[in-house]
Amino acid sequence: MTLRDLRLPLTLLVAALAGCSQGDAPATNNAAPSAYAAVARGRIDIEGGLLKLTMPSEGVVAQIGAHEGDHVHKGQVLVQLDQEPAKLALDSALAEQQQATAQIGSLDVRAKSAALRASRLEQAAKAGAGDMQSADDARDAANQAEAALTNARATVALAEQKVSGARYQLSLRTLRAPSDGEVVQRAVQLGASVSPASGPVFSVLPDSPRIVRAELNESFVGVVHDGMAAEVDDDSGSGMAPLKAHVLRIGNVFGASTLEDDPQVRANTRSVECVLTLDQQPSTPLRIGQRVLVKFAPK
């Protein structure tokens, strides 16, 4: 019989542990009760997972600001596309804005002058020193000058919107790190043509506290609760020292096991995701996806 044949799947251990937790009589008087209320497989993770960053605009890569393994800071440039097309569009929008703004001054002077002339002619007509037709014509001219000024102001506002849009398009040609973290993958080269549909160009692991996502067997759903203390042990051969943790939340959806090695057991096991937070982050960084064994302590 090989060592593999002697190894029991976790589900058998879970079933045995469940039997002990339900008060089954021990086989012998010397058998010690289980020190844990439940045991589950888990893996190290972070809230939200890795950041998969895609370029928000299409273009040709002109600059790469980070490489795999680099630690980046929030706002640091990761990728910059060729800026020339966006700069030309911005320059054009700025020129339109300047032209529209220049017309405001002359139209404002013309509108004020027309309004003043219309007012004087109206007063003269009322005093009998002028005719009403001239006063009416002056008022129409004043209204037209005011309408032209209003249109010019609307044109300036539209030009300002175009400038803002051009600046925004220019900003989209630069990909920046959304948070502090480590670059775990770079999938772009200088001179490459990229677009939002090209997929992630950078994968960043944020500097966030590590958590544990455990697969809680359905037989233990009623045993484990929020805030429950637990011990996280190494299950991947990395030599990690045991870590103290507590239950952050327990899922409400059953699913198939993804961490069980035996395909038959994996297909027939239903589990609920149980998220735990570590009471203290270890000095040695934990790797995302690292397998662990979670032992839930009884009250």
Side-chain angles (χ1 to χ4, degrees), residues 62-226:
Q63 177 185 339
I64 295 177
H67 305 278
E68 293 185 6
D70 289 352
H71 188 274
V72 295
H73 300 283
K74 182 178 181 179
Q76 181 176 333
V77 174
L78 300 178
V79 181
Q80 190 171 81
L81 303 181
D82 180 18
Q83 305 284 291
E84 196 61 26
K87 285 182 178 179
L88 289 174
L90 177 58
D91 290 342
S92 177
L94 287 170
E96 289 183 18
Q97 181 188 28
Q98 185 177 6
Q99 182 181 15
T101 303
Q103 294 179 353
I104 292 290
S106 60
L107 289 175
D108 186 49
V109 171
R110 186 184 303 174
K112 289 179 179 178
S113 177
L116 180 60
R117 183 172 183 275
S119 178
R120 287 175 177 175
L121 288 176
E122 287 173 350
Q123 291 177 3
K126 289 178 182 179
D131 61 286
M132 288 300 299
Q133 185 61 47
S134 297
D136 291 342
D137 291 344
R139 177 54 58 190
D140 289 341
N143 290 339
Q144 291 176 7
E146 185 63 32
L149 178 60
T150 301
N151 289 336
R153 286 172 176 162
T155 302
V156 170
L158 180 60
E160 290 174 348
Q161 289 295 321
K162 286 185 177 180
V163 170
S164 298
R167 285 199 173 113
Y168 176 68
Q169 290 300 321
L170 180 60
S171 70
L172 292 181
R173 302 183 75 82
T174 301
L175 178 65
R176 300 180 182 273
S179 64
D180 293 354
E182 179 186 346
V183 177
V184 297
Q185 187 176 16
R186 192 194 87 186
V188 67
Q189 297 288 347
L190 287 173
S193 296
V194 296
S195 70
S198 300
V201 294
F202 268 87
S203 295
V204 177
L205 174 62
D207 290 343
S208 302
R210 303 301 195 256
I211 61 173
V212 177
R213 295 189 187 275
E215 293 183 348
L216 188 63
N217 187 278
E218 61 182 329
S219 61
F220 290 138
V221 171
V223 177
V224 178
H225 56 80
D226 292 354

Side-chain angles (χ1 to χ4, degrees), residues 1-9:
M1 182 178 293
T2 64
L3 181 60
R4 178 179 178 87
D5 297 328
L6 292 173
R7 188 180 65 178
L8 289 175

Side-chain angles (χ1 to χ4, degrees), residues 25-32:
T28 64
N29 293 333
N30 294 330

